[in-house]
Amino acid sequence: MLEDLHSSAAVCERVFRSALVSSGAPWLPDADVLVRGPEELPEDALRAAEALGIPESEAYEQVSAVWGKVDTEARAQIGSAGELALVNLIAETIEARVEHVAAYSDGFGYDIAVHAQRHPLHIEAKSTVRRGRVTFYLSRHEYETMRRDPAWQLVAVQLTRDLAIAAVASVAAEWISAQVPQDRGAFGRWEACQLDVSPDVLVPGIPRLAPLLNTGTAGLLLPGAQKG
């Protein structure tokens, strides 16, 4: 609260947001699913809003804003950790050069390049620490890259709370194409979308790496090798 003494937000709103951020509320990371309107605000948030004289509608707006900030920061940290862990895992188990292209540019439309003459692969990694829910954001650039690049592959990386890889799974481009929004007018264009992947869509491991794997070192990269 003291970082910006010149904020135009009301004091009660600033106190409410600060309380949410520091509360450690278990529902906050999943607020986008659990709290979809003022009527779904958790009891602790309602009590705090009432004590501060904030109407439920405004409290819901504050919860949405706080969740967005927390989620963005968490996704950046988890995403980077997942990419690095996947790069190291692949480099240890295949006979090809592995390049973390996202480390120096986000313009490729994917994060990891596997440079193999017969079996090149361009991996877009989406990481999560949540169990039972695989949700990720796909940019228009990533989608368009997928459409024109046959080597493109989306890979979901399940991390532990300590940011170690617990499981790896692939998502088919055909499924992604069937889920993304459609541009319906000449003056509108989607630039990013959220996709919720059901467990039956996930293919364990990265089967497309199979021809490159060193004998006996498949680890998490092939079906049947997941920790769960």
Side-chain angles (χ1 to χ4, degrees), residues 90-109:
I90 295 174
E92 292 169 357
T93 53
I94 70 170
E95 296 180 351
R97 184 167 67 89
V98 181
E99 184 179 11
H100 187 194
V101 297
Y104 54 83
S105 175
D106 59 0
F108 287 89

mmCIF file with all atom_site columns, all heavy atoms in Angstrom, residues 90-109:
data_model
loop_
_atom_site.group_PDB
_atom_site.id
_atom_site.type_symbol
_atom_site.label_atom_id
_atom_site.label_alt_id
_atom_site.label_comp_id
_atom_site.label_asym_id
_atom_site.label_entity_id
_atom_site.label_seq_id
_atom_site.pdbx_PDB_ins_code
_atom_site.Cartn_x
_atom_site.Cartn_y
_atom_site.Cartn_z
_atom_site.occupancy
_atom_site.B_iso_or_equiv
_atom_site.pdbx_formal_charge
_atom_site.auth_seq_id
_atom_site.auth_comp_id
_atom_site.auth_asym_id
_atom_site.auth_atom_id
_atom_site.pdbx_PDB_model_num
ATOM 1   N N   . ILE A 1 90  ? 14.852 -32.950 -22.276 1.00 0.00 ? 90  ILE A N   1
ATOM 2   C CA  . ILE A 1 90  ? 14.999 -33.405 -23.663 1.00 0.00 ? 90  ILE A CA  1
ATOM 3   C C   . ILE A 1 90  ? 16.470 -33.539 -24.036 1.00 0.00 ? 90  ILE A C   1
ATOM 4   O O   . ILE A 1 90  ? 16.883 -34.522 -24.660 1.00 0.00 ? 90  ILE A O   1
ATOM 5   C CB  . ILE A 1 90  ? 14.285 -32.436 -24.623 1.00 0.00 ? 90  ILE A CB  1
ATOM 6   C CG1 . ILE A 1 90  ? 12.765 -32.459 -24.370 1.00 0.00 ? 90  ILE A CG1 1
ATOM 7   C CG2 . ILE A 1 90  ? 14.574 -32.810 -26.067 1.00 0.00 ? 90  ILE A CG2 1
ATOM 8   C CD1 . ILE A 1 90  ? 12.000 -31.426 -25.172 1.00 0.00 ? 90  ILE A CD1 1
ATOM 9   N N   . ALA A 1 91  ? 17.281 -32.561 -23.640 1.00 0.00 ? 91  ALA A N   1
ATOM 10  C CA  . ALA A 1 91  ? 18.704 -32.588 -23.983 1.00 0.00 ? 91  ALA A CA  1
ATOM 11  C C   . ALA A 1 91  ? 19.405 -33.813 -23.399 1.00 0.00 ? 91  ALA A C   1
ATOM 12  O O   . ALA A 1 91  ? 20.357 -34.338 -23.993 1.00 0.00 ? 91  ALA A O   1
ATOM 13  C CB  . ALA A 1 91  ? 19.383 -31.317 -23.493 1.00 0.00 ? 91  ALA A CB  1
ATOM 14  N N   . GLU A 1 92  ? 18.920 -34.286 -22.253 1.00 0.00 ? 92  GLU A N   1
ATOM 15  C CA  . GLU A 1 92  ? 19.536 -35.439 -21.597 1.00 0.00 ? 92  GLU A CA  1
ATOM 16  C C   . GLU A 1 92  ? 19.133 -36.769 -22.235 1.00 0.00 ? 92  GLU A C   1
ATOM 17  O O   . GLU A 1 92  ? 19.782 -37.782 -22.000 1.00 0.00 ? 92  GLU A O   1
ATOM 18  C CB  . GLU A 1 92  ? 19.150 -35.471 -20.114 1.00 0.00 ? 92  GLU A CB  1
ATOM 19  C CG  . GLU A 1 92  ? 19.742 -34.338 -19.289 1.00 0.00 ? 92  GLU A CG  1
ATOM 20  C CD  . GLU A 1 92  ? 19.121 -34.266 -17.895 1.00 0.00 ? 92  GLU A CD  1
ATOM 21  O OE1 . GLU A 1 92  ? 18.201 -35.066 -17.626 1.00 0.00 ? 92  GLU A OE1 1
ATOM 22  O OE2 . GLU A 1 92  ? 19.562 -33.422 -17.101 1.00 0.00 ? 92  GLU A OE2 1
ATOM 23  N N   . THR A 1 93  ? 18.064 -36.762 -23.029 1.00 0.00 ? 93  THR A N   1
ATOM 24  C CA  . THR A 1 93  ? 17.501 -38.036 -23.472 1.00 0.00 ? 93  THR A CA  1
ATOM 25  C C   . THR A 1 93  ? 17.458 -38.242 -24.986 1.00 0.00 ? 93  THR A C   1
ATOM 26  O O   . THR A 1 93  ? 17.002 -39.287 -25.440 1.00 0.00 ? 93  THR A O   1
ATOM 27  C CB  . THR A 1 93  ? 16.067 -38.198 -22.927 1.00 0.00 ? 93  THR A CB  1
ATOM 28  O OG1 . THR A 1 93  ? 15.294 -37.040 -23.275 1.00 0.00 ? 93  THR A OG1 1
ATOM 29  C CG2 . THR A 1 93  ? 16.073 -38.354 -21.422 1.00 0.00 ? 93  THR A CG2 1
ATOM 30  N N   . ILE A 1 94  ? 17.907 -37.268 -25.767 1.00 0.00 ? 94  ILE A N   1
ATOM 31  C CA  . ILE A 1 94  ? 17.884 -37.451 -27.216 1.00 0.00 ? 94  ILE A CA  1
ATOM 32  C C   . ILE A 1 94  ? 19.245 -37.153 -27.820 1.00 0.00 ? 94  ILE A C   1
ATOM 33  O O   . ILE A 1 94  ? 20.090 -36.498 -27.206 1.00 0.00 ? 94  ILE A O   1
ATOM 34  C CB  . ILE A 1 94  ? 16.819 -36.566 -27.897 1.00 0.00 ? 94  ILE A CB  1
ATOM 35  C CG1 . ILE A 1 94  ? 17.229 -35.086 -27.846 1.00 0.00 ? 94  ILE A CG1 1
ATOM 36  C CG2 . ILE A 1 94  ? 15.446 -36.775 -27.302 1.00 0.00 ? 94  ILE A CG2 1
ATOM 37  C CD1 . ILE A 1 94  ? 16.361 -34.195 -28.709 1.00 0.00 ? 94  ILE A CD1 1
ATOM 38  N N   . GLU A 1 95  ? 19.442 -37.634 -29.030 1.00 0.00 ? 95  GLU A N   1
ATOM 39  C CA  . GLU A 1 95  ? 20.686 -37.394 -29.755 1.00 0.00 ? 95  GLU A CA  1
ATOM 40  C C   . GLU A 1 95  ? 20.434 -36.331 -30.814 1.00 0.00 ? 95  GLU A C   1
ATOM 41  O O   . GLU A 1 95  ? 20.333 -36.615 -32.004 1.00 0.00 ? 95  GLU A O   1
ATOM 42  C CB  . GLU A 1 95  ? 21.177 -38.698 -30.379 1.00 0.00 ? 95  GLU A CB  1
ATOM 43  C CG  . GLU A 1 95  ? 21.536 -39.756 -29.349 1.00 0.00 ? 95  GLU A CG  1
ATOM 44  C CD  . GLU A 1 95  ? 22.017 -41.042 -29.998 1.00 0.00 ? 95  GLU A CD  1
ATOM 45  O OE1 . GLU A 1 95  ? 21.903 -41.159 -31.235 1.00 0.00 ? 95  GLU A OE1 1
ATOM 46  O OE2 . GLU A 1 95  ? 22.492 -41.928 -29.269 1.00 0.00 ? 95  GLU A OE2 1
ATOM 47  N N   . ALA A 1 96  ? 20.297 -35.110 -30.374 1.00 0.00 ? 96  ALA A N   1
ATOM 48  C CA  . ALA A 1 96  ? 20.089 -33.965 -31.269 1.00 0.00 ? 96  ALA A CA  1
ATOM 49  C C   . ALA A 1 96  ? 20.326 -32.698 -30.466 1.00 0.00 ? 96  ALA A C   1
ATOM 50  O O   . ALA A 1 96  ? 20.279 -32.698 -29.230 1.00 0.00 ? 96  ALA A O   1
ATOM 51  C CB  . ALA A 1 96  ? 18.682 -33.980 -31.848 1.00 0.00 ? 96  ALA A CB  1
ATOM 52  N N   . ARG A 1 97  ? 20.573 -31.611 -31.172 1.00 0.00 ? 97  ARG A N   1
ATOM 53  C CA  . ARG A 1 97  ? 20.792 -30.333 -30.490 1.00 0.00 ? 97  ARG A CA  1
ATOM 54  C C   . ARG A 1 97  ? 19.452 -29.725 -30.093 1.00 0.00 ? 97  ARG A C   1
ATOM 55  O O   . ARG A 1 97  ? 18.512 -29.686 -30.885 1.00 0.00 ? 97  ARG A O   1
ATOM 56  C CB  . ARG A 1 97  ? 21.552 -29.364 -31.402 1.00 0.00 ? 97  ARG A CB  1
ATOM 57  C CG  . ARG A 1 97  ? 21.913 -28.032 -30.721 1.00 0.00 ? 97  ARG A CG  1
ATOM 58  C CD  . ARG A 1 97  ? 22.919 -27.263 -31.549 1.00 0.00 ? 97  ARG A CD  1
ATOM 59  N NE  . ARG A 1 97  ? 22.372 -26.810 -32.815 1.00 0.00 ? 97  ARG A NE  1
ATOM 60  C CZ  . ARG A 1 97  ? 21.744 -25.637 -32.969 1.00 0.00 ? 97  ARG A CZ  1
ATOM 61  N NH1 . ARG A 1 97  ? 21.579 -24.815 -31.932 1.00 0.00 ? 97  ARG A NH1 1
ATOM 62  N NH2 . ARG A 1 97  ? 21.293 -25.272 -34.155 1.00 0.00 ? 97  ARG A NH2 1
ATOM 63  N N   . VAL A 1 98  ? 19.369 -29.271 -28.845 1.00 0.00 ? 98  VAL A N   1
ATOM 64  C CA  . VAL A 1 98  ? 18.150 -28.680 -28.309 1.00 0.00 ? 98  VAL A CA  1
ATOM 65  C C   . VAL A 1 98  ? 18.422 -27.211 -28.008 1.00 0.00 ? 98  VAL A C   1
ATOM 66  O O   . VAL A 1 98  ? 19.391 -26.872 -27.327 1.00 0.00 ? 98  VAL A O   1
ATOM 67  C CB  . VAL A 1 98  ? 17.693 -29.405 -27.024 1.00 0.00 ? 98  VAL A CB  1
ATOM 68  C CG1 . VAL A 1 98  ? 16.402 -28.786 -26.499 1.00 0.00 ? 98  VAL A CG1 1
ATOM 69  C CG2 . VAL A 1 98  ? 17.510 -30.893 -27.298 1.00 0.00 ? 98  VAL A CG2 1
ATOM 70  N N   . GLU A 1 99  ? 17.549 -26.348 -28.514 1.00 0.00 ? 99  GLU A N   1
ATOM 71  C CA  . GLU A 1 99  ? 17.759 -24.904 -28.366 1.00 0.00 ? 99  GLU A CA  1
ATOM 72  C C   . GLU A 1 99  ? 16.542 -24.256 -27.709 1.00 0.00 ? 99  GLU A C   1
ATOM 73  O O   . GLU A 1 99  ? 15.409 -24.431 -28.165 1.00 0.00 ? 99  GLU A O   1
ATOM 74  C CB  . GLU A 1 99  ? 17.996 -24.266 -29.735 1.00 0.00 ? 99  GLU A CB  1
ATOM 75  C CG  . GLU A 1 99  ? 18.320 -22.782 -29.683 1.00 0.00 ? 99  GLU A CG  1
ATOM 76  C CD  . GLU A 1 99  ? 18.564 -22.207 -31.068 1.00 0.00 ? 99  GLU A CD  1
ATOM 77  O OE1 . GLU A 1 99  ? 18.282 -22.901 -32.068 1.00 0.00 ? 99  GLU A OE1 1
ATOM 78  O OE2 . GLU A 1 99  ? 19.030 -21.062 -31.142 1.00 0.00 ? 99  GLU A OE2 1
ATOM 79  N N   . HIS A 1 100 ? 16.782 -23.506 -26.651 1.00 0.00 ? 100 HIS A N   1
ATOM 80  C CA  . HIS A 1 100 ? 15.706 -22.789 -25.946 1.00 0.00 ? 100 HIS A CA  1
ATOM 81  C C   . HIS A 1 100 ? 15.540 -21.419 -26.609 1.00 0.00 ? 100 HIS A C   1
ATOM 82  O O   . HIS A 1 100 ? 16.016 -20.409 -26.119 1.00 0.00 ? 100 HIS A O   1
ATOM 83  C CB  . HIS A 1 100 ? 16.060 -22.651 -24.473 1.00 0.00 ? 100 HIS A CB  1
ATOM 84  C CG  . HIS A 1 100 ? 14.960 -22.076 -23.644 1.00 0.00 ? 100 HIS A CG  1
ATOM 85  N ND1 . HIS A 1 100 ? 15.150 -21.609 -22.356 1.00 0.00 ? 100 HIS A ND1 1
ATOM 86  C CD2 . HIS A 1 100 ? 13.633 -21.903 -23.900 1.00 0.00 ? 100 HIS A CD2 1
ATOM 87  C CE1 . HIS A 1 100 ? 13.997 -21.161 -21.882 1.00 0.00 ? 100 HIS A CE1 1
ATOM 88  N NE2 . HIS A 1 100 ? 13.070 -21.326 -22.790 1.00 0.00 ? 100 HIS A NE2 1
ATOM 89  N N   . VAL A 1 101 ? 14.831 -21.389 -27.712 1.00 0.00 ? 101 VAL A N   1
ATOM 90  C CA  . VAL A 1 101 ? 14.742 -20.162 -28.503 1.00 0.00 ? 101 VAL A CA  1
ATOM 91  C C   . VAL A 1 101 ? 13.978 -19.054 -27.781 1.00 0.00 ? 101 VAL A C   1
ATOM 92  O O   . VAL A 1 101 ? 14.221 -17.861 -28.020 1.00 0.00 ? 101 VAL A O   1
ATOM 93  C CB  . VAL A 1 101 ? 14.096 -20.440 -29.879 1.00 0.00 ? 101 VAL A CB  1
ATOM 94  C CG1 . VAL A 1 101 ? 14.950 -21.398 -30.684 1.00 0.00 ? 101 VAL A CG1 1
ATOM 95  C CG2 . VAL A 1 101 ? 12.677 -20.982 -29.737 1.00 0.00 ? 101 VAL A CG2 1
ATOM 96  N N   . ALA A 1 102 ? 13.053 -19.425 -26.891 1.00 0.00 ? 102 ALA A N   1
ATOM 97  C CA  . ALA A 1 102 ? 12.276 -18.412 -26.162 1.00 0.00 ? 102 ALA A CA  1
ATOM 98  C C   . ALA A 1 102 ? 13.142 -17.627 -25.190 1.00 0.00 ? 102 ALA A C   1
ATOM 99  O O   . ALA A 1 102 ? 12.727 -16.571 -24.710 1.00 0.00 ? 102 ALA A O   1
ATOM 100 C CB  . ALA A 1 102 ? 11.119 -19.075 -25.409 1.00 0.00 ? 102 ALA A CB  1
ATOM 101 N N   . ALA A 1 103 ? 14.344 -18.120 -24.919 1.00 0.00 ? 103 ALA A N   1
ATOM 102 C CA  . ALA A 1 103 ? 15.229 -17.418 -23.994 1.00 0.00 ? 103 ALA A CA  1
ATOM 103 C C   . ALA A 1 103 ? 15.735 -16.110 -24.583 1.00 0.00 ? 103 ALA A C   1
ATOM 104 O O   . ALA A 1 103 ? 16.123 -15.202 -23.841 1.00 0.00 ? 103 ALA A O   1
ATOM 105 C CB  . ALA A 1 103 ? 16.411 -18.318 -23.620 1.00 0.00 ? 103 ALA A CB  1
ATOM 106 N N   . TYR A 1 104 ? 15.718 -15.999 -25.909 1.00 0.00 ? 104 TYR A N   1
ATOM 107 C CA  . TYR A 1 104 ? 16.210 -14.757 -26.522 1.00 0.00 ? 104 TYR A CA  1
ATOM 108 C C   . TYR A 1 104 ? 15.220 -14.112 -27.489 1.00 0.00 ? 104 TYR A C   1
ATOM 109 O O   . TYR A 1 104 ? 15.464 -13.013 -27.975 1.00 0.00 ? 104 TYR A O   1
ATOM 110 C CB  . TYR A 1 104 ? 17.546 -14.987 -27.218 1.00 0.00 ? 104 TYR A CB  1
ATOM 111 C CG  . TYR A 1 104 ? 17.574 -16.102 -28.231 1.00 0.00 ? 104 TYR A CG  1
ATOM 112 C CD1 . TYR A 1 104 ? 17.147 -15.907 -29.537 1.00 0.00 ? 104 TYR A CD1 1
ATOM 113 C CD2 . TYR A 1 104 ? 18.052 -17.359 -27.879 1.00 0.00 ? 104 TYR A CD2 1
ATOM 114 C CE1 . TYR A 1 104 ? 17.194 -16.930 -30.477 1.00 0.00 ? 104 TYR A CE1 1
ATOM 115 C CE2 . TYR A 1 104 ? 18.096 -18.393 -28.803 1.00 0.00 ? 104 TYR A CE2 1
ATOM 116 C CZ  . TYR A 1 104 ? 17.666 -18.171 -30.101 1.00 0.00 ? 104 TYR A CZ  1
ATOM 117 O OH  . TYR A 1 104 ? 17.703 -19.197 -31.012 1.00 0.00 ? 104 TYR A OH  1
ATOM 118 N N   . SER A 1 105 ? 14.090 -14.763 -27.763 1.00 0.00 ? 105 SER A N   1
ATOM 119 C CA  . SER A 1 105 ? 13.079 -14.140 -28.620 1.00 0.00 ? 105 SER A CA  1
ATOM 120 C C   . SER A 1 105 ? 11.747 -14.837 -28.450 1.00 0.00 ? 105 SER A C   1
ATOM 121 O O   . SER A 1 105 ? 11.687 -16.062 -28.333 1.00 0.00 ? 105 SER A O   1
ATOM 122 C CB  . SER A 1 105 ? 13.506 -14.219 -30.094 1.00 0.00 ? 105 SER A CB  1
ATOM 123 O OG  . SER A 1 105 ? 12.469 -13.722 -30.932 1.00 0.00 ? 105 SER A OG  1
ATOM 124 N N   . ASP A 1 106 ? 10.666 -14.035 -28.430 1.00 0.00 ? 106 ASP A N   1
ATOM 125 C CA  . ASP A 1 106 ? 9.322  -14.611 -28.381 1.00 0.00 ? 106 ASP A CA  1
ATOM 126 C C   . ASP A 1 106 ? 8.670  -14.559 -29.759 1.00 0.00 ? 106 ASP A C   1
ATOM 127 O O   . ASP A 1 106 ? 7.464  -14.731 -29.897 1.00 0.00 ? 106 ASP A O   1
ATOM 128 C CB  . ASP A 1 106 ? 8.448  -13.884 -27.350 1.00 0.00 ? 106 ASP A CB  1
ATOM 129 C CG  . ASP A 1 106 ? 8.318  -12.393 -27.656 1.00 0.00 ? 106 ASP A CG  1
ATOM 130 O OD1 . ASP A 1 106 ? 8.895  -11.930 -28.666 1.00 0.00 ? 106 ASP A OD1 1
ATOM 131 O OD2 . ASP A 1 106 ? 7.631  -11.689 -26.890 1.00 0.00 ? 106 ASP A OD2 1
ATOM 132 N N   . GLY A 1 107 ? 9.476  -14.350 -30.791 1.00 0.00 ? 107 GLY A N   1
ATOM 133 C CA  . GLY A 1 107 ? 8.938  -14.203 -32.130 1.00 0.00 ? 107 GLY A CA  1
ATOM 134 C C   . GLY A 1 107 ? 8.843  -15.484 -32.936 1.00 0.00 ? 107 GLY A C   1
ATOM 135 O O   . GLY A 1 107 ? 8.328  -15.476 -34.053 1.00 0.00 ? 107 GLY A O   1
ATOM 136 N N   . PHE A 1 108 ? 9.317  -16.596 -32.382 1.00 0.00 ? 108 PHE A N   1
ATOM 137 C CA  . PHE A 1 108 ? 9.317  -17.837 -33.143 1.00 0.00 ? 108 PHE A CA  1
ATOM 138 C C   . PHE A 1 108 ? 7.930  -18.487 -33.209 1.00 0.00 ? 108 PHE A C   1
ATOM 139 O O   . PHE A 1 108 ? 7.620  -19.213 -34.144 1.00 0.00 ? 108 PHE A O   1
ATOM 140 C CB  . PHE A 1 108 ? 10.308 -18.835 -32.532 1.00 0.00 ? 108 PHE A CB  1
ATOM 141 C CG  . PHE A 1 108 ? 11.751 -18.493 -32.777 1.00 0.00 ? 108 PHE A CG  1
ATOM 142 C CD1 . PHE A 1 108 ? 12.442 -17.675 -31.887 1.00 0.00 ? 108 PHE A CD1 1
ATOM 143 C CD2 . PHE A 1 108 ? 12.414 -18.974 -33.886 1.00 0.00 ? 108 PHE A CD2 1
ATOM 144 C CE1 . PHE A 1 108 ? 13.769 -17.356 -32.106 1.00 0.00 ? 108 PHE A CE1 1
ATOM 145 C CE2 . PHE A 1 108 ? 13.742 -18.657 -34.116 1.00 0.00 ? 108 PHE A CE2 1
ATOM 146 C CZ  . PHE A 1 108 ? 14.418 -17.844 -33.225 1.00 0.00 ? 108 PHE A CZ  1
ATOM 147 N N   . GLY A 1 109 ? 7.123  -18.275 -32.179 1.00 0.00 ? 109 GLY A N   1
ATOM 148 C CA  . GLY A 1 109 ? 5.837  -18.960 -32.112 1.00 0.00 ? 109 GLY A CA  1
ATOM 149 C C   . GLY A 1 109 ? 5.941  -20.298 -31.412 1.00 0.00 ? 109 GLY A C   1
ATOM 150 O O   . GLY A 1 109 ? 4.977  -21.065 -31.370 1.00 0.00 ? 109 GLY A O   1
#
